[in-house]
Amino acid sequence: MLVMGTGTTKKEQGMTNVAIVTGGSRGIGRASALKLAKTGYLVVVNYASNAKAADDVVAQIMKDGGKAVAVQGDVGKEADVLTLFATSDKLGQLKVLVNNAGIMDTQARLDEMSTERLKRIFDINILGSFLCAREAVKRMSTKHGGTGGAIVNLSSAAAVMGAPAFGVEYAASKSAIDLLTIGLGREVAAEGIRVNAVRPGIIDTEIHDSSGIKGRAKMMREQIPIKREGTADEVADAILWLVSEQSTYVAGTVVAVAGGRC
Ligand code: NAP
């Protein structure tokens, strides 16, 4: 695990408000981490393997006068998730979880997919999001002595479109995120926690490289009513709204950021 940044403890900082961004080192997570830091959160930038990208986000936040730490951990592994949240506990009070870490695989039909591939997608995209949400609720819920907070999950347009002949397992994993959002959102709404999700469409990040289709985001332009792919910043703006005081009556719902595509 790599920890950078303030190096100070919770006691030293008083009630520092902490935001965990899983997969905060690149793409939508990176944009969210930078914006959350600007609004005053100490940001825990989780990542899986690319330490340099995570260090760059932390360095940018610190250059801008904010506070951040980078924490390696695979969200699909419970031990890593527990370490991630234990690290956050030492830094302050968890108020925000952006449940963002997610992967897709190469373009394929279901009858071409190995069991290993299915397990990997479901472990990271579904189990990882559930484990992180569970740990966040334990800390934020007034039922557990917390003071409330906000959880934003990352769904996808694929959750409602199905991604046929592209990645139905990815689509199904994001559909699970929709139901996590609705169910958990209702489960903990009276305990000070607002659980919501964003549903990005085609966003210009490196995730599309995993599909094996070069320039996929640009190729999709004609299918998007707005006629362009979205940016990570545009999704992060919706995430920031969902954790802000401007959305206090928004709970258990999914906000599409998809250029009109879904
Ligand atoms: P991205 O650019 O590929 O970035 C993925 C981030 O997640 C990286 O920081 C990566 O860290 C991290 N990550 C990957 N596997 C992880 C794991 N097992 N544990 C912890 N961190 C992990 O992806 P993105 O496009 O920003 O997507 C972010 C989320 O939005 C995903 O859930 C994705 O499904 C969803 N989404 C994206 C789009 C889109 O068009 N981009 C559309 C709909 C939904 P490393 O660099 O260390 O691997």
Side-chain angles (χ1 to χ4, degrees), residues 153 176-189 195 251-253:
N153 299 318
I177 296 304
D178 285 2
L179 267 296
L180 167 65
T181 303
I182 294 165
L184 185 64
R186 293 174 181 178
E187 193 167 289
V188 298
V195 182
T253 197

Side-chain angles (χ1 to χ4, degrees), residues 60-78:
Q60 183 64 54
I61 288 172
M62 293 175 71
K63 195 175 154 218
D64 295 342
K67 293 173 183 166
V69 300
V71 180
Q72 191 278 333
D74 179 345
V75 295
K77 294 183 178 157
E78 183 177 26

Side-chain angles (χ1 to χ4, degrees), residues 141-172:
S141 169
T142 51
K143 188 175 167 226
H144 296 295
T147 60
I151 298 173
V152 182
N153 299 318
L154 267 289
S155 178
S156 167
V160 287
M161 302 180 85
F166 178 77
V168 293
E169 91 291 29
Y170 173 79

Side-chain angles (χ1 to χ4, degrees), residues 27-28 30-32 34-35 203-205 230-240 257:
I28 294 165
R30 178 182 191 276
S32 303
L34 293 173
K35 286 178 190 282
I203 310 301
D204 186 19
T205 72
T231 67
D233 271 337
E234 288 174 312
V235 181
D237 282 339
I239 291 169
L240 263 286
V257 187

Side-chain angles (χ1 to χ4, degrees), residues 18 20 41 94-99 136 140 148-152 192-196 239 242-244 247:
V18 174
I20 296 177
Y41 291 98
L94 184 66
K95 296 299 288 180
V96 169
L97 166 67
V98 183
N99 225 348
M140 294 173 180
I151 298 173
V152 182
I193 309 174
R194 291 187 303 108
V195 182
N196 291 292
I239 291 169
L242 284 171
V243 308
S244 77
S247 64

